Amino acid sequence: MNGLVLILRAISISPMVFLRYLPVLVIYILLAVGIFYSTSNLIVWGMLFFLMSTIGTTFLFLTGVRAALMVVGATTSPTVEGLTRVTVRSLFLHMLPQFILVILLSAIWGIVHRSVVLPMALPGAADVFGAYTAMASAFFSAESQETFGVALAATDPMQLQLAAALFVFGALLIVGFSIGIFGVPMAALAANAVQYSPGNDPIYGIGKYLLPQMVLYLMTTAAPTVLFAMTAPVAVLVGGVDAGLTISAVLLVVFVAYAPCISYAGMALGYDAVRRQIQAELRAQRAPIVDMEQERETLKELRQMRKKEASGTKMYDPVAEARARRRR
């Protein structure tokens, strides 16, 4: 499947994916909020955050991918046992490696952004981020806060917003790269959560359709996030709580619920394309080198041609030939 076709098809089927994904998302949010407000115990909150950010997030992600697989027609209804097994496997085989990869690459990008990109492109913002880092490392001491305040006052807010947007875009580009690598394998593993599992391995189609899936993620997630970073008040970027929510922030929150469905659709379409390609290759391998059916038809045509040629000839009769000569 062509990359552009995959992107367009993913966008076109995303509303149907969202309709299948929405009930699980609502239940997930209600469950998290309900447990959070039902107790003030910090231990319970910690356990809730751990479960929701690991198993819960993985299950929610697999539900979205499976919704896209159902829309594409690449799977059937799952079983409870299959969902449980696939959720645990995906957590350790896909989510954890992606998390480690994103952390490592983001740390490298942070060093490059702070030491190379900002001094060259936005020197004023570099001073602000340097002061902010010093304040954080000094546990928000009074001297560090004063240094940070002076650097912030001397910096153009637009320059600071551009610096924050640049860092956010780089971090989201790293996340998109990770999703592009693991997109098809995650969809393949999600397809195993059925009664008659296709038995896809955890690296099934790894790296396939990387660029289209990165484009989908950047279009639907990175772009709105960077737009928010560029339009949000500076107080929000540096941790202020009095700035309130802007219109862009509200739109971003609304879009966050829908945007992942486009990426889910891209993963499902990529898996379906790889699956069809592998099936076609297996059929070609199993097919005989000589097409017996075609050979039968060719032999039949040759026999018919010989019969037509033989119908216009006469059989040689030596006796009749001798009699004809005597009469002459």
Side-chain angles (χ1 to χ4, degrees), residues 13 87 175 245 326:
I13 68 174
T87 299
V175 176
L245 292 177
R326 289 194 195 116

Side-chain angles (χ1 to χ4, degrees), residues 21-188:
Y21 172 69
L22 183 60
V24 180
L25 178 62
V26 171
I27 294 174
Y28 177 87
I29 295 175
L30 291 178
L31 181 63
V33 172
I35 298 177
F36 180 80
Y37 282 103
S38 64
T39 180
S40 58
N41 193 323
L42 295 179
I43 297 178
V44 176
W45 283 357
M47 293 177 60
L48 172 66
F49 176 78
F50 176 77
L51 292 176
M52 287 295 182
S53 61
T54 54
I55 298 177
T57 302
T58 305
F59 178 79
L60 187 66
F61 188 90
L62 287 175
T63 303
V65 176
R66 284 205 54 83
L69 290 172
M70 292 292 291
V71 173
V72 174
T75 188
T76 56
S77 299
T79 62
V80 176
E81 180 183 359
L83 280 176
T84 304
R85 181 181 67 254
V86 168
T87 299
V88 175
R89 293 190 66 190
S90 182
L91 174 63
F92 290 100
L93 298 178
H94 289 155
M95 292 298 187
L96 185 59
Q98 286 187 82
F99 178 75
I100 296 174
L101 178 64
V102 169
I103 291 297
L104 291 176
L105 294 180
S106 297
I108 296 174
W109 165 240
I111 296 174
V112 174
H113 179 265
R114 172 68 182 85
S115 59
V116 178
V117 178
L118 287 185
M120 293 177 58
L122 305 167
D127 295 337
V128 172
F129 277 90
Y132 190 75
T133 304
M135 182 178 66
S137 62
F139 300 99
F140 298 94
S141 63
E143 295 180 0
S144 299
Q145 290 182 7
E146 182 179 357
T147 303
F148 175 68
V150 172
L152 180 62
T155 305
D156 184 9
M158 180 60 67
Q159 193 177 33
L160 182 60
Q161 290 176 343
L162 289 174
L166 183 62
F167 177 79
V168 170
F169 180 78
L172 291 176
L173 188 64
I174 293 172
V175 176
F177 175 73
S178 175
I179 291 177
I181 293 178
F182 288 92
V184 173
M186 285 188 291

Side-chain angles (χ1 to χ4, degrees), residues 3-13 216 269:
L4 180 60
V5 174
L6 187 144
I7 293 173
L8 296 177
R9 284 197 61 193
I11 296 174
S12 64
I13 68 174
L216 283 173
L269 289 171

Side-chain angles (χ1 to χ4, degrees), residues 186-225:
M186 285 188 291
L189 198 59
N192 288 341
V194 294
Q195 184 175 1
Y196 302 101
S197 172
N200 299 323
D201 57 77
I203 59 172
Y204 183 98
I206 188 168
K208 294 290 187 179
Y209 296 100
L210 185 149
L211 185 59
Q213 293 185 71
M214 283 188 63
V215 171
L216 283 173
Y217 178 79
L218 294 175
M219 287 173 53
T220 60
T221 304
T225 305

